[in-house]
Amino acid sequence: MDRDAPAVGEGTNIDDEAPRIEPTIETEAATKTDDAELERTLGLVGGLAIGIGTMIGAGIFVFPGLAAGRAGPAAAGSFAIGAVIALFVALPASELATAMPKSGGGYYFISRGLGTFAGTVVGLSLWLGLVFATAFYLVGFGYYAVDTLAELGIAVGNGLVIPLALLFGAGFTVLNVTGTENAAKLQNGIVALLLSILVCFLGFGGLDALGLVGEPAAPERFAPFGAFPVLTTSALVFTSYLGFAQIATVAGEMRDPGRNLPLSMVGSVLIVGTLYVVTIFVATSAFGSERLAELGETAMVEVGRHYLGSIGALAIVFGGLLATISSANASILSTSRAVYAVSRDALLPRRASRINLRYGTPHVALGLAGGPILVLVATGQVELLAEVASFLHLVMYGLICVALVSLRRDEPEWYDPAFRTPGYPVVPAVGAVASFGLIGFMQPASQITGVAVMAVTAGWYFYYARDVTLRGAL
């Protein structure tokens, strides 16, 4: 088979000698771009901005109407369940990331801890999972863009949702080609402004919902549809917690990863999980579950209008735009880094990992991220996109926990994390069981699509990557 990179590592001792990847280089320029390293330009604030910015988008501005329609006020419990599962995975992921601060995140941990087959399936599934998630965020952006125009008196209808999502998806891809620092600056500014809007709105809305300001709300039964929908809703909204893992995908570009990686991952889950629960409480206090479900993806706009009138609606519309922009921008960055990492390991053609010498970014990988994203955006299937993204990430999260146990058991010489998971081995065991278990509560269409994606990635392993050895390599 003709490849850009040959098979590597046959016959090596996986604990003593790291296999080397020696690609065939065609030109001197190709040598320079293949050997270039990503610049370490991200700090703690940048890591938190990626995590918080990605998670806030869908969780707070797109999901409340959909989640309340499924579970009622108990949707707050759905978000809380998702946060707990995310924390049980964030701790093992933090340990692995400080031992292996490389771009690629969960893929890199699993391929080194469990071997090439698991790494190939997870690496390609991570790429495609982020593609599904980014498409979901961009469609959400389209809905908020249309609502923004409506609030300004320009009624264009939902027919413009997909064209706007496609246009901005292409724009964010180009932005990320120009450099991580440029993307991070946009991310930091958006997240700071977004958090300011949310704190003010949720603070007032919370006081109103409690009856401390205005008239007390008539309470709705906490779980009007029973307990089971709470779990199925957790499976839907878990997409909201993908941001902490996306921090790990840019580990190779983070300064002082031993400190900044665990703080970014755990901190972003705690901050955003709290905001989700408060948001659902405020939303279900303003309207009943049935009304929120009718309002759909932009239900929070009417919640803002309920509490603060037209100013509140405008604030939420603007916040929704910022949030979905933030999510999409951060996800495109992380998607390209997942492609970059898989290609560097010769599981994809090596040309995909080439670095743009002017900007220091993986421009080919960004193209492989942006192209499929735009294709999925065109479908406009919000819930399916969200659940398939959750499916593929939950598989990866479960295997991250398994990889930690494997590496702790083997303790190879190179494994020296700056952070150790508290409560080992209970924490990774619970994280693995919870991650795999949540998949069982998804819609059949999402499960079938997720399994199909993983089957394709397994087929790619047997076709292209079965001779590559990665376990134990750094």
Side-chain angles (χ1 to χ4, degrees), residues 151 229 231 261 302 334 383 385 473:
E151 290 295 326
L231 294 172
L261 275 169
E302 295 308 313
S334 296
E383 292 194 30
L385 292 172

Side-chain angles (χ1 to χ4, degrees), residues 71 87 112 145 161 195 235 241 293 310 340 366 374-376 460:
L87 282 174
R112 270 55 182 182
V161 168
L195 286 175
Y241 290 102
S310 58
Y340 170 84
L366 278 161
L374 297 180
V375 171
L376 288 179
W460 178 259

Side-chain angles (χ1 to χ4, degrees), residues 328-345:
N329 179 55
S331 294
I332 288 172
L333 171 66
S334 296
T335 306
S336 67
R337 294 333 186 246
V339 176
Y340 170 84
V342 173
S343 175
R344 290 279 286 188
D345 283 343

Side-chain angles (χ1 to χ4, degrees), residues 83-168:
V84 171
I85 294 174
L87 282 174
F88 274 107
V89 177
L91 291 169
S94 296
E95 175 175 332
L96 293 170
T98 59
M100 297 172 274
K102 305 286 186 179
S103 284
Y107 151 72
Y108 198 89
F109 312 151
I110 291 165
S111 64
R112 270 55 182 182
L114 300 178
T116 308
F117 176 72
T120 303
V121 171
V122 167
L124 298 180
S125 295
L126 172 61
W127 165 27
L128 297 172
L130 287 168
V131 164
F132 274 91
T134 309
F136 164 66
Y137 301 142
L138 285 169
V139 173
F141 164 80
Y143 278 107
Y144 269 93
V146 166
D147 261 35
T148 300
L149 293 173
E151 290 295 326
L152 296 174
I154 306 171
V156 295
N158 287 342
L160 204 58
V161 168
I162 301 303
L164 285 171
L166 291 169
L167 176 64
F168 277 80

Side-chain angles (χ1 to χ4, degrees), residues 216-220 284-285:
E220 182 180 0
T284 53
S285 296

